[in-house]
């Protein structure tokens, strides 16, 4: 068995690599287009499991964006959050994900998209997600539409060793479950 990964940019294959099942695969893009709030460029990804005869047994598709987040001093020596090597002034609302007709559940996927479109239309380039972790579709639309996300960890009363252990476990799951979204920068 062999795993084949391929990256596409607007339908054109830009990288491919293969390896055995369970081995690491590294796609190398020669001139990657970086993801940002101004230009939320995403690549399509296709991963295929192939049999010994080379024929596809199974296939899954997804997407990815490439960007770099770092804290670095600017030319005046002030530590700044840099996106792709440059300072981007971030401005956005604190979003608790409340929906009047569903409390903390959006009524439709279109509503999720509309909410993000309106945040951008109002001139914001980021949002601080507070109190809750959204469903993957919310982060998908942030990835697609170019909205930077500061993801808070919902916090309870962590005043016992058991509560602190539970908090840490849930935080790890948040990072593992949402960590590949290019929109999440903090």
């Amino acid at each position: 068995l062999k795993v084949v990964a391929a990256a596409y940019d607007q339908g054109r294959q830009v990288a491919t690599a293969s390896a055995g099942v369970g081995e690491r695969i590294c796609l190398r893009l020669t001139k990657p287009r970086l993801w940002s709030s101004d230009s939320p460029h995403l690549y399509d990804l296709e991963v295929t499991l192939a049999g010994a005869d080379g024929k596809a047994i199974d296939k899954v598709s997804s997407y990815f964006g490439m960007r770099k987040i770092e804290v670095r001093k600017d030319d005046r020596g002030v530590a700044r959050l840099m996106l792709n090597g440059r300072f981007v002034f971030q401005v956005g609302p604190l979003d608790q994900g409340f929906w009047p007709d569903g409390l903390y559940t959006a009524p439709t996927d279109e509503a999720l998209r509309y909410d993000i479109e309106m945040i951008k239309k109002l001139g914001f380039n980021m949002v601080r997600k507070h109190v809750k972790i959204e469903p993957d579709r919310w982060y998908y639309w942030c990835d697609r539409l170019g909205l930077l996300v500061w993801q808070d960890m919902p916090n309870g009363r962590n005043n016992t060793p058991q509560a602190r252990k539970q908090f840490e476990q849930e935080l790890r799951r948040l990072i593992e479950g949402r960590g590949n979204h290019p929109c999440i920068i903090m």
Side-chain angles (χ1 to χ4, degrees):
L1 296 177
K2 180 169 77 169
V3 177
V4 179
Y8 297 88
D9 188 0
Q10 299 174 349
R12 186 177 59 86
Q13 190 178 77
V14 293
T16 186
S18 63
V21 173
E23 295 177 3
R24 186 180 180 136
I25 298 177
C26 182
L27 288 171
R28 299 194 188 283
L29 282 73
T30 53
K31 292 182 180 179
R33 292 178 58 192
L34 300 180
W35 185 97
S36 70
S37 56
D38 294 333
S39 179
H41 185 77
L42 297 171
Y43 291 90
D44 292 313
L45 177 67
E46 192 173 89
V47 180
T48 305
L49 176 65
D53 60 359
K55 290 186 180 178
I57 296 171
D58 200 1
K59 189 182 290 189
V60 65
S61 298
S62 189
Y63 69 91
F64 66 94
M66 299 185 66
R67 55 101 178 107
K68 181 179 181 179
I69 295 293
E70 64 183 323
V71 175
R72 195 177 74 217
K73 291 185 179 180
D74 65 12
D75 51 358
R76 293 185 311 215
V78 177
R80 304 271 188 198
L81 188 61
M82 303 286 190
L83 174 62
N84 300 324
R86 68 179 189 91
F87 173 67
V88 175
F89 185 78
Q90 296 174 40
V91 60
L94 176 73
D95 181 1
Q96 295 186 338
F98 179 80
W99 296 88
D101 52 350
L103 298 178
Y104 286 109
T105 303
T108 63
D109 189 55
E110 292 78 18
L112 289 174
R113 179 181 179 146
Y114 176 81
D115 205 43
I116 293 159
E117 288 173 337
M118 288 300 101
I119 289 170
K120 296 241 350 173
K121 189 174 183 177
L122 290 169
F124 300 116
N125 65 354
M126 63 77 61
V127 65
R128 179 178 164 197
K129 183 50 74 172
H130 185 64
V131 176
K132 69 183 273 199
I133 299 165
E134 289 288 359
D136 264 325
R137 288 299 290 184
W138 187 83
Y139 302 95
Y140 166 86
W141 286 118
C142 290
D143 290 342
R144 289 265 171 228
L145 299 172
L147 186 64
L148 303 170
V149 176
W150 295 7
Q151 176 63 60
D152 287 357
M153 177 60 192
N155 193 348
R157 296 182 190 267
N158 299 320
N159 53 4
T160 67
Q162 182 180 0
R164 287 188 289 277
K165 183 178 179 181
Q166 182 67 31
F167 177 86
E168 187 174 326
Q169 181 182 37
E170 291 178 17
L171 177 58
R172 287 184 195 281
R173 288 184 178 156
L174 164 64
I175 293 167
E176 291 166 0
R178 301 293 191 274
N180 285 327
H181 286 281
C183 66
I184 301 175
I185 61 164
M186 184 182 312

